């Protein structure tokens, strides 16, 4: 089964390479009659573009989504919503020197091994550029969730060794989009920003953690036994470029706990894989970007070692830009389970 | 879409409640002509049953798998492999006092909220008993993987605060099934066993971490962009009862690293979601079991608070018994991707 | 994707070979809380067994369905309904002479070509015996449909050259199960029965047509553009052994009509692939059974020609026994679309 | 599950309404490394456009397909192939008078019943315009099939009461695209053309039958038990607008035959749902178009009767333009089964 679709009833299929004519997608299964604010969708897309924070790469892709179908007089029609985003800033020649090189930590080698062919320009489809389409799909999902009172909010919890320890209730969630790090703790954010700038100046990169909280989730979402809510969320998160881990609620720290202690904690929002009506909470780990300005050893397609220094423009830390993507994928999972739950009872 | 099937081409569907007549499953998509050693399948099943280690519950379910179809003269036929395991030790009356109570940390409340009905006996389908069927499916997958030279080995890495720090190459992997904790480091295992006994004597429970390593994996497995190998593994693992987290390779520790440092590490076995030919490595966190002998507050279906003391027989720590389940789910994911990869090239 | 599952939300997976230990299935996605009368399911199963009409084969398989899961205190639980039917009357030795022969008109050659292996006993999984599991699934679907006031009724329309021409309103539908041909026109039924007896005495076989009418169907079922209601029905019908064709409403006769004439007719129950609230009507053509007592030329697996005379016991005409199977598959399609329609609107 | 995707491994998803900005699709699962001649794809698309035969409507949609992804340096990349076709000739105002009217024989009523909303312009997504995207997907499939020596050829067999009776071997298949009726029997074609012109002059319409033959098909395609090759073909055909029936090989005429007679015939290319290596042959019935110039009674959305005379431009007979669509859907089914067969054996 091809791997470019996500969701069973609320189903997003994406296409597009970094340096092809366009990227885009089809959202099938969105219920009919939803008033869709396409300007809000564009707003969400703007949050993920490279130039959206002063800490990102200098590229300004200026992505504009064009809707091609599925909408009429402001409402969804129950028909598939096709959309596309033209690739404007495609300097393919920047990448000609990578045609015969496998960059370390990148998918170059494995795509070649898998398909026997490879579009070397900007990573082709393995580029994170593809996630823009997920943001579009997720933004539509969010508008459906809003009609149920469900709210999904992700933010940067950690950059390198710096982690916010402000309690959830005191985080300034509404201001996170105006914060350059997307961290709702101004004090921690300032330190994170300084770290990112330092890492950039050193020609290096740094990892981080994105947290996500969902409020307003009704009881009953999640499909035993394989499609538990956290199972589908974990898949969604590990399907984002550069992720290394997913944990629900107490996560890995639960391993060191006693039951008498753990039973008193929030279970992260699910019991037995089904939402329990309490806030859902999970965290996603991101590795530091592999592409760094520092010289690295790489291998050519013919097996020779070469030294590689990244040209082009690259993020020293992906987590600020990953926040809208984590939200988008969460919205897609929840919209899907919301529809699935409609068939649970006779 | 119903949630009781797993995999796209190598596809396991399971059924069965803890206290119904039987549990079982159908494995569809297993290629024809595979010599299947059904005694080996039974061996794997024996490893997960409650009585298999001295540290588990006293129940001895003595599960026996009966194959109903899909095999002829020792070989798979390309037709679905149906199988069942009778429920022998079903003392339903043990659970009558739970008919109107939602146990804390259990799926009782959420199943009721989802379906409007509930089989209260032993957790019904939310019981971990269901995972026996995954072990059967996984054991068949393993025999397919073996023909490709792929080997999947999980083990207990951590129990409570005790963690083995023996380097991977020095772990006694072959002896893990004779170790009561399923930990291939005898020294750590002894301390883990002592901790589990202590926790049991206190009427409490404790969490842990299972690690899994896959050797012999060819390059090219994993389907961009949503069905990355680690995305499907993460879903598989978070679909196991009591799991809290999944991490690949460096996992959450990558968040604190620099790129120049992280690029030198193993990437956990994939690049861009596709296997890179190096060993695959991931960890799975398990919470401490919610059912403990200590008295706990619970809620009845009519909203009253009651004090609950677990009768019956329960594991103080699930990780030793989770090892075969982690292996089984891993084998299912890998067999599926092995078949999917057959269609990658023209 | 494996081919032994049917339906997307109301999903039946079947397993089992003609001469293995058992056949069975898993029905996943049946909504929770449905009062299920399992005796009615057995009744439906009894209608399809070989000995159910005096015109069938002399085998009396006496199939008994055992439910293994998904039911508790008389109601469906939202969990998968597992069931099995033991193979009692399995005289495998009857088939030893067919181990190395490809019977003409049968699937022997093609299964060998597909899988490289083959269970030659009674056709293995290509035997129509497998359809008993569809009847079980369909009978559950019917009880769900009944709660919506939907009624599915198939009957024999034609045997060989004999066709009932009684108008729909005058057919004795309720008595069709006591009619040996399953034809609700006693006069035509008598002639059909005589034809079947004659064909049997000649050691030959004969084809026929089954018609199916659905009353009480609400408007709105069917999913544009590929999963139209008639598209899924056509697939369901051509997935039954020995079928040759499917036609909706006016069917092939529409090819010869003018629009001004055809617009005045019933459209068969759908417009644009979606149910229009009028009765659904379609017909299914069955070929004469390939196995006949007359000597036929066949080919061995090593390419030699041999003369084959059918031993064993075989139906001279399948349509009377096909009626419950056509109904079952129709019920499965409609239950699936009923659930799918629940997600059509925001 | 949403209904706008077709195929399991070779999977086409389409989007677009008749009078929206564009129609298009995503083909996911096309194997990597296929040399794709996009000019040939455009050629196939040209065959289906309204102005392609002198017998069609006067509209000349002049569809041009733009490929957006999945191709690099002339080869498929294993990544999804996104494409779109802009809607040029969208005179929406032509349809304003239909905003509150349900046209007889059209999907207006049923779409409204299903979704609660409706794009009334040109039938919205229920328009046959959507089939252009299937032709694009099918044309890519055909180039994959060609590498296996598989050739799919459909043609008009019957228009109204006129049917070619030239034996298959003597049909001028290669010239069918230059024949205005797409009938490879010049003598019958001339009579069909005259009938279509007569029907048009009468303000009426007429039905027909398209036949399809597949040569070069290897043994072994088709997935028992539900996804038989003919089952998937039947679904594909009944999923085309205006179709009424599907028959394989002897089809409905088999109902009147004896087994001794039928066993000597071609089985239509499959045995037990699996291709047998002989040519595949099936027929598809199309009803006469519902939109005719003659005045008809229609109903408004508020339940009043009105008299409707079709303005706009409409085909008096769809079968000539249906030929490329039947081929496209056949190619999609076969490409899918070709890939599925790759997983049949260990």
């Amino acid at each position: 089964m091809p791997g470019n679709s996500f969701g069973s009833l609320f189903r997003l299929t994406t296409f597009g390479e970094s340096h092809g004519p366009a990227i885009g997608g089809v959202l099938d299964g969105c219920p009919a009659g939803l008033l869709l604010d396409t300007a809000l969708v564009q707003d969400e897309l703007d949050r993920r573009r490279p130039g959206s924070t002063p800490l990102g790469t200098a590229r300004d892709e200026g992505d504009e989504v064009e809707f091609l179908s599925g909408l009429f007089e402001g409402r969804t029609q129950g028909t598939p919503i096709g959309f596309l985003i033209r690739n404007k800033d495609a300097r393919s020649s920047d990448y000609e020197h990578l045609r015969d090189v496998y960059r370390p930590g990148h998918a170059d080698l494995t795509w070649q091994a898998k398909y026997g062919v490879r579009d070397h320009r900007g990573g082709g489809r393995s580029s994170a550029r593809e996630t823009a389409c997920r943001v579009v799909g997720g933004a539509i999902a969010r508008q459906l969730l809003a009609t149920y009172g469900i709210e999904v909010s992700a933010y940067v919890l950690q950059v390198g060794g710096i982690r916010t320890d402000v309690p959830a209730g005191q985080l300034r969630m509404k201001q996170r989009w105006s914060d350059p790090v997307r961290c709702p703790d101004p004090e921690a954010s300032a330190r994170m920003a300084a770290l990112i700038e330092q890492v950039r100046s050193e020609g290096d990169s740094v990892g981080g953690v994105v947290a996500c909280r969902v409020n307003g989730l009704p009881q009953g979402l999640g499909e035993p036994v394989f499609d538990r809510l956290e199972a589908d969320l974990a898949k969604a998160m590990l399907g984002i470029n550069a992720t290394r881990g997913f944990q629900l609620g107490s996560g890995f720290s639960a391993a060191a706990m006693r039951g008498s202690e753990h039973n008193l904690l929030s279970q992260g929002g699910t019991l037995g894989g089904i939402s329990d009506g309490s806030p859902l909470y999970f965290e996603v780990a991101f590795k530091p970007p592999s592409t760094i300005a520092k010289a690295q050893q790489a291998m050519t397609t013919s097996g020779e070692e070469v030294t590689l220094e990244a040209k082009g423009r690259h993020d020293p830390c992906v987590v600020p830009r990953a926040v809208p993507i984590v939200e988008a994928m969460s919205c897609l999972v929840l919209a899907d389970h919301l529809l699935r739950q409609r068939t649970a009872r006779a």
Side-chain angles (χ1 to χ4, degrees), chain A:
Chain A
M1 239 179 143
N4 295 285
S5 294
F6 188 84
S8 59
L9 296 184
F10 191 92
R11 187 170 177 84
L12 177 68
T13 300
T14 70
F15 64 83
E17 280 82 38
S18 175
H19 286 67
I23 60 174
V26 184
L27 181 67
D28 200 6
C30 185
L34 178 72
L35 269 172
L36 189 76
D37 186 333
T38 55
L40 280 181
V41 176
Q42 180 65 48
D43 284 353
E44 296 212 32
L45 193 56
D46 291 345
R47 286 178 192 152
R48 112 171 238 293
R49 76 193 156 80
S52 64
T53 105
L55 297 167
T57 141
R59 277 177 306 176
D60 189 343
E61 297 178 357
D63 293 332
E64 265 178 71
V65 60
E66 181 189 6
F67 287 99
L68 301 172
S69 68
L71 301 174
F72 179 58
E73 300 181 343
R75 288 188 185 276
T76 59
Q77 297 292 303
T79 54
I81 301 172
F83 61 88
L84 69 82
I85 300 166
R86 292 276 170 190
N87 288 328
K88 289 177 185 167
D89 183 20
R91 284 199 252 155
S92 302
S93 55
D94 274 10
Y95 297 91
E96 192 56 33
H97 68 293
L98 294 174
R99 181 183 279 271
D100 299 318
V101 178
Y102 299 138
R103 292 168 297 163
H106 278 275
D108 301 345
L109 168 73
T110 53
W111 281 57
Q112 182 74 38
K114 182 173 192 70
Y115 296 116
V117 293
R118 179 170 63 98
D119 179 352
H120 65 281
R121 300 168 304 166
R125 185 151 175 78
S126 74
S127 162
R129 173 150 182 72
E130 168 269 328
T131 58
C133 300
R134 308 190 191 190
V135 172
V136 173
I140 300 171
R142 190 197 301 273
Q143 296 192 31
L144 178 65
L145 296 175
T147 68
Y148 287 80
I150 302 168
E151 201 180 355
V152 175
S153 310
Y155 58 93
V156 168
L157 181 77
Q158 179 181 339
V159 169
I162 304 170
R163 188 180 176 104
T164 172
D165 55 4
V166 168
Q170 296 167 34
L171 290 170
R172 302 187 185 179
M173 293 304 295
K174 306 231 168 194
Q175 294 156 42
R176 70 196 190 282
W177 298 120
S178 53
D179 181 276
V181 186
R182 312 312 194 198
C183 175
D185 167 359
E187 188 276 325
S189 173
R191 288 188 291 137
M192 291 170 179
L195 175 60
I196 294 172
E197 285 304 342
Q198 177 195 339
V199 161
R200 185 208 302 275
S201 70
E202 294 170 1
D204 210 335
S205 64
V206 68
V209 175
V210 173
C212 186
R213 189 176 306 275
V214 183
N215 289 313
L217 207 58
Q219 291 181 333
L221 305 196
E223 298 292 323
V225 296
F226 296 111
D227 297 353
R228 291 160 190 247
L229 195 56
E230 61 263 41
D232 279 352
L233 285 167
K235 171 165 177 160
M237 297 307 136
L238 270 293
I240 299 174
N241 302 44
T243 50
R244 293 281 107 178
F246 167 90
Q247 55 188 3
L248 178 76
S250 52
F252 276 86
S253 70
M257 290 184 190
R258 300 288 168 97
S260 54
E261 173 189 9
H262 193 267
N263 282 354
L264 304 176
L265 297 181
S266 157
Q267 298 294 311
T270 71
L271 284 170
I274 302 172
S275 62
D276 62 8
S278 69
L280 190 75
Y281 177 80
F282 60 86
E283 300 174 2
V284 187
F286 288 81
K287 69 173 186 180
S290 300
T291 299
I292 55 178
K294 288 186 175 177
Q296 297 186 83
Q297 289 308 101
M299 205 166 57
T300 66
T301 54
S302 50
E304 293 162 39
E305 291 232 330
V306 290
T307 298
L308 200 64
E309 281 175 67
K311 291 192 273 191
R313 302 141 301 176
H314 301 280
D315 279 345
C317 180
V318 297
V319 287
R321 287 183 59 207
V323 171
I325 303 164
V326 166
E327 288 195 1
M329 292 306 296
S330 302
C331 290
L332 289 170
V333 169
L334 296 173
D336 194 38
H337 278 279
L338 205 60
L339 295 184
R340 292 173 79 170
Q341 174 59 5
R342 291 192 185 176
T343 68
R345 298 189 185 192

